[in-house]
């Protein structure tokens, strides 16, 4: 089907191509059902967000006022912005970037919105430090599947004694539907957490509805109200395993042009997230940006999905076979590994990599000891565990027979592939080894060894990242999910998958493939400490929180030390 510009705009946005017309003001009943949020803080700035829900059937824009104060009782209001509006063209979301000298660095402020006499919940935002900074505390989160379980980890984040910002590494929403076999619905049905709309989301209205549902969650609202979020998307904000021109979970025959779906997803994301709008001259996909925490650290959020990423390899599609010694077909490992190492395959394009190298170098040159990458997918070399060598054959067979039938065949195939040394996750950096070496060369050229943060995997990781020559290039801390299923869930908690991955891979220092939670990352002048914080359950309340493990990295004159448990 051929689409002209008018048809395209009509598909991706209600009213996007409609001429401006005079609208009567909406002065009826309203509610703040989705909480408040702040994001993208600077030393004198922040983005403030809410959504106004008008009475059903009411038309026109709603006038909205933002108040920012030094106290939560709003006796000392420092800014009042009264010319905001909530309207249908942005799904009644309100987002305002306040950037002026009124906001002071390294300071807590409280904010709220007022519309038609109704006052929103109160949120708190902390501006970034500007000068000498002794320490920074960040909560690192990712992967929140609404039907997958309760967002207890967000409740825990909201109750932290100190958190300067929440770093979200993607998969803020998921695109799947509510059918019995859909992702996470085994828990979703029991918990009455049914995705809205109940089908896979494809259109702008679908993505808006899904974002709205997620932000009705009280625990997520509490975390947003506690501290500013610094976010980047991963794949599920559009569709599973996206690359620059498609996605594993997009079927053009039934779901149309991927570019239209992507445009709808990104429009809804910018409407519903407390993030700065893309510059008019920039691609909406160019979400990469940098945040400076005084003279201590630079947090550089990268984008590895929609700009430079080429299509992932797939074992079912890309693994070929050749005759074995007995004439029977065997996997052609050499051919697959050659395809995996193809230099044309990448997660970033040259412009992104050049920008990142410049940001890293600039941070080092002004004397900041820490450069932190807000990166989506695990960077370490991770081969699947060779359980055939670690367990007797009868134990492997018994393990496979104990699995649910729905995953038994897939796990059996993985056991065979991992016996041959195949990568654990082709969607991660390990599926793009040549691209990873290019990235490591950028680290080296900038003369930095960064802390790499990773989401996506639904597991906790501590990884010591080395290049092909065996030189340390970074240390990686991977955050588990808020509620999305972990690989360890599918195969049963008694199977030590994390321990096997650690034993198999020299770069993996620690791995837990079952716990859910977040990382509390504390940086001071010489030390980075990552507390891998787990919640006891995502299926009920109350819950308990515990530090699963705490790992520390020290920076000296040479670079980073290897991570050690503390």
């Amino acid at each position: 089907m051929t689409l002209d510009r008018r048809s395209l705009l009509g598909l991706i946005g209600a009213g996007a191509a409609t001429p401006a017309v005079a609208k009567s003001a909406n002065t009826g009943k309203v509610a703040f059902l989705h909480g408040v949020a702040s994001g993208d803080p600077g030393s004198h700035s922040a983005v403030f967000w809410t959504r106004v829900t008008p009475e059903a059937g009411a038309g026109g824009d709603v006038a909205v006022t933002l108040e920012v104060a030094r106290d939560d009782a709003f006796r000392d209001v420092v800014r009042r912005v009264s010319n905001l509006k909530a309207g249908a063209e942005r799904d009644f979301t309100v987002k305002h970037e306040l950037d002026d000298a009124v906001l002071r660095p390294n300071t807590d402020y409280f904010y709220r919105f007022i519309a038609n006499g109704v006052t929103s919940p109160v949120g708190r935002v902390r501006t970034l430090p500007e000068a000498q900074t002794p320490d920074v505390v960040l909560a690192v989160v990712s992967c929140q599947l609404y039907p997958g379980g309760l967002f207890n980890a967000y409740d825990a984040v909201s109750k932290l004694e100190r958190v300067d910002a929440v770093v979200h590494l993607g998969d803020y929403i998921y695109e799947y539907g509510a059918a019995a076999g859909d992702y996470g619905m085994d828990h979703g049905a029991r918990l009455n957490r049914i995705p809205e709309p109940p089908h896979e989301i494809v259109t702008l209205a679908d993505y808006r509805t899904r974002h709205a549902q997620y932000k009705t969650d009280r625990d997520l609202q509490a975390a947003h109200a506690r501290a500013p979020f610094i976010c980047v998307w991963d794949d599920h904000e559009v569709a599973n395993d996206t690359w620059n021109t498609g996605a594993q979970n997009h079927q053009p025959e039934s779901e149309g042009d991927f570019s239209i779906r992507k445009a709808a997803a990104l429009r809804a994301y910018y409407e519903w997230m407390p993030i700065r709008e893309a510059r008019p001259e920039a691609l909406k996909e160019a979400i990469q940006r940098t945040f400076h925490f005084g003279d201590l650290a630079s947090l550089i959020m990268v984008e590895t999905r929609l700009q430079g990423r080429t299509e992932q390899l797939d074992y079912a599609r890309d693994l070929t076979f050749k005759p074995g010694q007995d004439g029977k077909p065997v996997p052609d490992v050499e051919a697959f590994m050659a395809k995996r190492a193809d230099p044309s395959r990448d997660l970033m394009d040259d412009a992104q990599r050049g920008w990142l190298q410049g940001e890293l170098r600039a941070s080092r040159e002004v004397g900041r000891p820490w450069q932190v990458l807000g990166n989506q997918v695990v960077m370490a070399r991770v081969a699947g565990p060779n359980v055939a060598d670690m367990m007797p054959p009868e134990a492997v067979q018994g393990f496979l027979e104990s699995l649910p039938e729905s995953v038994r065949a897939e796990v059996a195939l993985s056991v065979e592939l991992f016996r041959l040394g195949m990568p654990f996750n082709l969607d991660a950096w390990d599926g793009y080894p040549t691209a990873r070496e290019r990235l490591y060369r950028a680290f080296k050229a900038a003369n930095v060894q960064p802390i790499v943060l990773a989401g996506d995997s639904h597991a906790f990781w501590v990884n010591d990242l080395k290049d092909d020559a065996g030189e340390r290039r970074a240390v990686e801390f991977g955050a588990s999910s808020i509620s999305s299923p972990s690989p360890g869930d599918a195969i049963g908690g008694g199977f030590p998958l994390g321990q096997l991955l650690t034993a198999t891979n020299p770069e993996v220092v620690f791995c837990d493939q079952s716990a859910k939670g977040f990382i509390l990352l504390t940086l001071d002048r010489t030390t980075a400490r990552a507390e891998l914080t787990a919640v006891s359950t995502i299926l009920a309340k109350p819950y308990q929180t515990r530090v699963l493990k705490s790992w520390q990295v020290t920076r000296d004159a040479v670079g980073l030390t290897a991570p050690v448990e503390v």
Side-chain angles (χ1 to χ4, degrees):
M1 179 175 63
T2 301
L3 293 173
D4 59 16
R5 181 177 180 273
R6 182 181 299 275
S7 300
L8 178 63
L9 290 171
L11 282 168
I12 66 172
T18 303
V21 295
K23 297 180 180 178
S24 57
N26 182 341
T27 58
K29 293 181 180 179
V30 300
F32 292 94
L33 303 180
H34 303 91
V36 298
S38 65
D40 280 13
S43 55
H44 297 275
S45 64
V47 171
F48 299 89
W49 179 95
T50 193
R51 202 261 184 168
V52 178
T53 302
E55 190 174 17
D61 295 338
V62 179
V64 182
T65 296
L66 166 67
E67 292 184 339
V68 182
R70 292 188 178 90
D71 64 307
D72 60 2
F74 289 82
R75 289 185 291 265
D76 186 7
V77 175
V78 297
R79 280 299 301 270
R80 181 177 287 108
V81 183
S82 57
N83 61 343
L84 306 178
K85 69 174 184 177
E89 70 277 5
R90 289 188 62 90
D91 202 21
F92 289 92
T93 61
V94 180
K95 187 161 60 174
H96 181 70
E97 181 181 351
L98 190 60
D99 188 357
D100 58 34
V102 172
L103 299 185
R104 308 307 304 160
N106 205 32
T107 302
D108 282 324
Y109 291 95
F110 298 87
Y111 62 95
R112 65 186 181 185
F113 295 86
I114 303 169
N116 294 359
V118 179
T119 301
S120 75
V122 174
R124 176 165 58 179
V125 62
R126 185 172 185 84
T127 53
L128 300 189
E130 195 171 55
Q132 188 171 4
T133 304
D135 57 11
V136 168
V137 179
L138 304 172
V140 184
V141 300
S142 71
C143 304
Q144 57 211 49
L145 178 66
Y146 186 83
L150 304 177
F151 291 172
N152 287 338
Y154 276 131
D155 180 64
V157 168
S158 75
K159 294 173 180 175
L160 290 171
E161 182 176 347
R162 178 182 172 189
V163 55
D164 299 327
V166 177
V167 181
H168 198 296
L169 300 176
D171 293 346
Y172 189 96
I173 64 168
Y174 282 75
E175 79 276 19
Y176 302 109
D182 283 341
Y183 193 49
M185 281 306 297
D186 51 344
H187 289 168
R190 282 186 286 156
L191 296 170
N192 195 30
R193 290 173 72 87
I194 310 301
E196 297 175 1
H199 54 262
E200 183 178 326
I201 55 176
V202 177
T203 68
L204 176 61
D206 291 342
Y207 282 100
R208 284 172 164 176
T209 300
R210 189 64 56 85
H211 273 281
Q213 180 184 37
Y214 273 59
K215 279 198 169 67
T216 61
D217 185 275
R218 297 296 185 185
D219 294 333
L220 178 56
Q221 287 186 15
H224 272 299
R226 174 64 181 86
F229 273 50
I230 298 173
C231 302
V232 67
W233 54 61
D234 192 26
D235 53 341
H236 289 286
E237 286 85 353
V238 181
N240 182 58
D241 285 0
T242 54
W243 65 91
N244 54 6
T245 59
Q248 175 275 329
N249 193 29
H250 179 80
Q251 291 71 46
E253 301 80 10
S254 58
E255 295 169 334
D257 190 318
F258 178 74
S259 65
I260 295 175
R261 182 179 186 174
K262 181 177 72 171
L266 296 195
R267 176 169 174 173
Y269 186 90
Y270 278 107
E271 289 173 348
W272 278 88
M273 297 297 291
I275 183 174
R276 284 181 173 82
E277 294 291 304
R279 299 188 310 277
E281 71 279 8
L283 294 171
K284 287 191 179 295
E285 292 90 339
I287 200 174
Q288 59 267 15
R289 60 216 193 280
T290 302
F291 301 87
H292 300 302
F293 292 80
D295 65 345
L296 181 64
S298 296
L299 171 64
I300 305 169
M301 305 296 285
V302 299
E303 198 280 326
T304 61
R305 281 290 174 188
L306 301 180
Q307 295 175 82
R309 181 190 277 256
T310 53
E311 186 175 1
Q312 303 87 345
L313 295 181
D314 179 82
Y315 285 125
R317 182 190 65 224
D318 297 301
L319 181 63
T320 57
F321 291 79
K322 64 182 180 180
Q325 291 182 348
D326 58 359
K328 295 180 180 180
V330 296
D332 192 339
V333 174
E334 294 79 9
F336 182 86
M337 291 303 192
K339 186 180 297 186
R340 172 174 168 255
D342 184 339
S344 68
R345 305 186 63 255
D346 215 330
L347 277 78
M348 292 180 178
D349 59 30
D350 290 340
Q352 288 175 280
R353 205 162 24 248
W355 170 85
L356 173 59
Q357 182 176 316
E359 294 294 296
L360 293 169
R361 178 185 290 115
S363 177
R364 178 190 58 79
E365 287 178 347
V366 299
R368 295 188 183 96
W370 297 105
Q371 292 76 39
V372 181
L373 262 63
N375 154 75
Q376 290 72 64
V377 295
V378 171
M379 197 169 288
R381 303 164 195 263
V382 184
N386 184 359
V387 298
D389 279 357
M390 298 175 178
M391 301 165 62
E394 59 272 17
V396 175
Q397 186 60 35
F399 159 64
L400 292 173
E401 291 175 354
S402 72
L403 296 176
E405 190 174 347
S406 59
V407 299
R408 190 179 304 154
E410 181 181 354
V411 174
L413 175 61
S414 297
V415 168
E416 176 60 22
L417 292 175
F418 297 159
R419 184 181 65 81
L420 302 172
M422 295 297 217
F424 184 65
N425 184 358
L426 295 173
D427 186 54
W429 280 94
D430 211 24
Y432 302 77
T434 305
R436 181 172 53 200
E437 283 302 301
R438 283 193 287 262
L439 183 68
Y440 287 168
R441 287 196 294 271
F443 293 174
K444 183 177 182 179
N447 196 22
V448 300
Q449 292 179 344
I451 296 291
V452 173
L453 305 177
D456 181 71
S457 70
H458 311 170
F460 283 115
W461 301 84
V462 179
N463 299 322
D464 193 11
L465 304 183
K466 308 287 182 63
D467 63 16
D468 282 347
E471 297 293 326
R472 179 175 295 118
R473 289 296 161 221
V475 169
E476 180 172 46
F477 296 123
S480 188
S481 66
I482 297 293
S483 62
S484 303
S486 299
D489 300 336
I491 60 177
F495 186 77
L497 178 58
Q499 296 175 34
L500 294 176
L501 287 168
T502 304
T504 300
N505 296 282
E507 290 191 10
V508 179
V509 179
F510 173 79
C511 181
D512 184 291
Q513 289 279 328
S514 296
K516 309 294 186 294
F518 61 94
I519 293 175
L520 194 64
L521 179 66
T522 302
L523 305 173
D524 62 26
R525 304 306 299 184
T526 60
T527 302
R529 186 176 73 253
E531 297 172 78
L532 313 184
T533 306
V535 294
S536 58
T537 180
I538 58 171
L539 300 179
K541 291 181 183 294
Y543 67 92
Q544 289 76 46
T545 303
R546 67 186 178 99
V547 177
L548 189 68
K549 295 279 186 179
S550 185
W551 293 84
Q552 182 170 293
V553 172
T554 301
R555 180 174 293 284
D556 57 26
V558 177
L560 296 182
T561 61
V564 296
E565 187 177 357
V566 293

